[in-house]
Amino acid sequence: TYQYKYPAPGDPTLARRIQSLLGTKDIESTLDPKRGFDHGVFVPLMVIYPEAKIPVVEVSLHSSLSPEIAFRMGEALAPLRDEGIMIL
């Protein structure tokens, strides 16, 4: 566990949409509403948005660490940028 807390709200609707977008590139994923934020997510956000009032959805790297799958993930999630959703 971490000493720091970042109590930002999640966004289950966006999480399901992300899962659907990943599926368009044949990338399987699972949702885990009980998992907390990794320090790689909350530390930069603590600096940028210290009040933690923005919804956050963490997407992990694919377990294979495949560069090809990472590229396909980026392609799948690219439409979110046009909607003003920040991808870190």
Side-chain angles (χ1 to χ4, degrees), residues 5-85:
K5 301 291 181 201
Y6 192 72
D11 188 334
T13 301
L14 178 59
R16 287 188 298 274
R17 178 141 182 258
I18 288 169
Q19 185 177 40
S20 176
L21 288 168
L22 292 172
T24 67
K25 296 290 183 178
D26 297 320
I27 300 169
E28 292 184 29
S29 61
T30 58
L31 301 177
D32 184 355
K34 295 181 182 180
R35 181 182 171 106
F37 299 130
D38 182 79
H39 69 279
V41 171
F42 74 75
V43 170
L45 291 177
M46 286 176 76
V47 174
I48 301 168
Y49 299 104
E51 294 179 1
K53 293 184 179 179
I54 61 165
V56 177
V57 175
E58 179 177 348
V59 178
S60 298
L61 294 171
H62 191 270
S63 60
S64 70
L65 300 179
S66 161
E68 292 82 12
I69 293 176
F71 186 82
R72 289 192 354 245
M73 289 174 72
E75 288 180 322
L77 301 179
L80 299 174
R81 291 179 304 193
D82 297 332
E83 299 171 25
I85 296 173

